[in-house]
Amino acid sequence: MPWPGLLRRFPVLGVRDFRLLLADRLLAPASFAFSMVGVSFAVLDTTGSSTDLSYVLAAQLFPMLVFALVGGVVADRVPPQRVIVAANVLVAAGEGGFGILVLAGRAHLWEMVCLEVLTGAGISIFYPASQSLLPRLVPEHLVHEASALSRLVMNAALMGGAAVAGLFVAAAGPGWALVTCSVGTSGTVPLLLAIRAAGPARSERSSVLRDLRDGWSEFASRTWLWGVVAQYLVVVGAWYAGFQVLGPVVARRSLGGPAAWGAITAAESVGLILGGLVALHFHPKRPIRLVALAGFAFALPPLALAMGWPLPLVCVAALGEGSMLEISMVYWTVALARHIPPDRLAKVFSYDLIGSMMGGPVGALAAGPAAAALGVPATQYGAAVLVVVATLLALVPRDVRQLRGTQPLTPAEAAAAAVAGPSLP
């Protein structure tokens, strides 16, 4: 489609800073896909232990409990793209150092844990800053379109990166994959520094504790918000244990190794793309109910692995989970951007991240010992049951089931309004 036609179809592409953000969200996820495959097989090749793998993956998640709050406060005080630059530098340092140790044949468990803590710190401060940046780049009426498009590009990059990473790890080894992740992540820094978005307007100076209290007040006052976050605390923990930790173990034992895990990860990313396409054109009347219902899909991948499905069917299960994950993420991001005051948005996203992802480290730590005691399939069955129960409970509050979304402008109205460009604070 020629550029004028593409611009008429997607007016948000006319915003310069948004195009720079798209370039970043193409390069960074494609690079990080090499880490998603490389870390798991670096640990399994080095120690051969699913318990050690659970420790290393948990180390990547634990920093979220601290640094997500810091990232949210800082991103509400300074231009968030600068916070993202710092986050990407930390990820590049952590994964690059990990890769060098693996290539040198000197990777020990404690070193891998420490480097993944560094990577986890970067991921933790990235999320709230990233979520608060996009609404500052585009007009309010284009936030839904911008969110869907940016995530579509991000997931296409993740899909391609995962498919290549699986083959790359099988051919060259996980050490080179981790170094590739570091180089690619470093390459996003010039793109982010070129974004001109200003920091948030602040009417008065306040302490960090005051900012945290304000963010908590916004978070705790909305039942639909904390109810869904509580749901995903359990869902993410169970899914992480049954799929992210034990999935590579099953792939290594019975599905074909790194290439198979790369195919499963790529299938999940295909689902993310399909979900993004749906979210771009579909506007549900009750988006939070749909976000809660999407939790059921997280039971599919661990269930498929536990039942010993062949690789193509496991890929289908991962595709279905990825589709529902992406649909729910777009609606969730837009709902928060529209219902939370802009000067408190990053802080609320921090509490969202901590609550939703807190179960991840617990699931990661529990997966290895549970699999050793009960067996891998039994642990994965248990994970699927937890996902289903948490999702059913999340649908009980009325606000989760009834909160209505905002209807988007028509394409003609959106195109006319885009002429004025983004309204920056």
Side-chain angles (χ1 to χ4, degrees):
M1 182 185 295
W3 176 250
L6 193 64
L7 192 58
R8 285 194 298 272
R9 179 64 186 85
F10 302 109
V12 74
L13 292 176
V15 180
R16 171 192 174 274
D17 283 349
F18 179 70
R19 294 196 301 271
L20 287 170
L21 182 66
L22 281 187
D24 165 70
R25 293 191 175 181
L26 179 66
L27 180 57
S31 302
F32 194 70
F34 283 75
S35 168
M36 294 171 64
V37 180
V39 168
S40 295
F41 286 92
V43 177
L44 291 174
D45 288 351
T46 302
T47 72
S49 168
S50 61
T51 300
D52 288 346
L53 177 58
S54 72
Y55 293 154
V56 173
L57 293 180
Q60 188 182 102
L61 297 175
F62 268 117
M64 292 181 185
L65 304 182
V66 176
F67 291 102
L69 287 178
V70 174
V73 170
V74 173
D76 277 339
R77 292 169 174 251
V78 302
Q81 65 269 27
R82 297 181 187 174
V83 181
I84 299 174
V85 167
N88 286 358
V89 169
L90 288 175
V91 171
E95 299 307 89
F98 197 161
I100 291 171
L101 287 178
V102 172
L103 291 175
R106 297 181 178 179
H108 299 96
L109 179 60
W110 71 268
E111 294 168 326
M112 293 187 282
V113 167
C114 290
L115 288 168
E116 285 308 294
V117 167
L118 187 63
T119 295
I123 296 171
S124 301
I125 65 174
F126 162 82
Y127 180 80
S130 176
Q131 297 301 320
S132 68
L133 174 60
L134 189 144
R136 292 180 181 146
L137 302 184
V138 301
E140 193 277 338
H141 64 276
L142 293 178
V143 168
H144 184 102
E145 180 181 294
S147 178
L149 275 177
S150 66
R151 293 188 62 82
L152 191 63
V153 168
M154 178 178 67
N155 293 322
L158 192 63
M159 176 197 69
V164 173
L167 298 174
F168 189 87
V169 170
W176 284 113
L178 293 169
V179 170
T180 300
C181 169
S182 177
V183 172
T185 304
S186 300
T188 66
V189 172
L191 295 170
L192 292 164
L193 291 177
I195 293 177
R196 298 171 183 164
R202 295 175 62 86
S203 58
E204 61 180 15
R205 302 178 70 88
S206 60
S207 67
V208 172
L209 290 178
R210 166 79 178 275
D211 285 346
L212 291 176
R213 286 197 300 268
D214 289 344
W216 176 255
S217 176
E218 293 290 341
F219 178 84
S221 64
R222 293 167 170 83
T223 303
W224 61 267
L225 177 53
W226 61 259
V228 172
V229 169
Q231 170 200 1
Y232 278 92
L233 184 154
V234 178
V235 168
V236 170
W239 170 81
Y240 207 90
F243 182 59
Q244 291 295 99
V245 177
L246 297 180
V249 175
V250 176
R252 190 169 186 256
R253 289 179 181 175
S254 58
L255 293 176
W261 185 243
I264 294 168
T265 306
E268 184 182 32
S269 300
V270 171
L272 296 173
I273 294 172
L274 294 177
L277 291 173
V278 172
L280 189 60
H281 299 286
F282 174 55
H283 303 274
K285 292 182 179 179
R286 295 179 174 84
I288 303 304
R289 182 174 65 182
L290 190 147
V291 171
L293 287 169
F296 285 119
F298 284 78
L300 293 176
L303 189 62
L305 292 167
M307 296 179 70
W309 291 4
L311 179 60
L313 290 182
V314 176
C315 289
V316 170
L319 185 148
E321 174 256 310
S323 298
M324 294 308 300
L325 168 62
E326 183 60 20
I327 290 171
S328 65
M329 279 299 298
V330 170
Y331 298 140
W332 183 252
T333 300
V334 172
L336 265 65
R338 286 176 170 164
H339 289 280
I340 305 298
D343 63 330
R344 298 184 178 187
L345 185 58
K347 292 185 284 289
V348 170
F349 270 119
S350 295
Y351 286 110
D352 168 32
L353 175 64
I354 291 174
S356 299
M357 299 302 294
M358 190 182 297
V362 177
L365 284 177
L374 305 174
V376 171
T379 303
Q380 291 172 321
Y381 279 125
V385 169
L386 284 174
V387 168
V388 171
V389 171
T391 300
L392 290 173
L393 291 175
L395 292 166
V396 173
R398 179 181 177 135
D399 285 354
V400 172
R401 292 180 281 111
Q402 298 298 326
L403 185 74
R404 289 182 173 269
T406 302
Q407 291 301 313
L409 298 179
T410 66
E413 292 170 332
V419 174
S423 300
L424 296 177

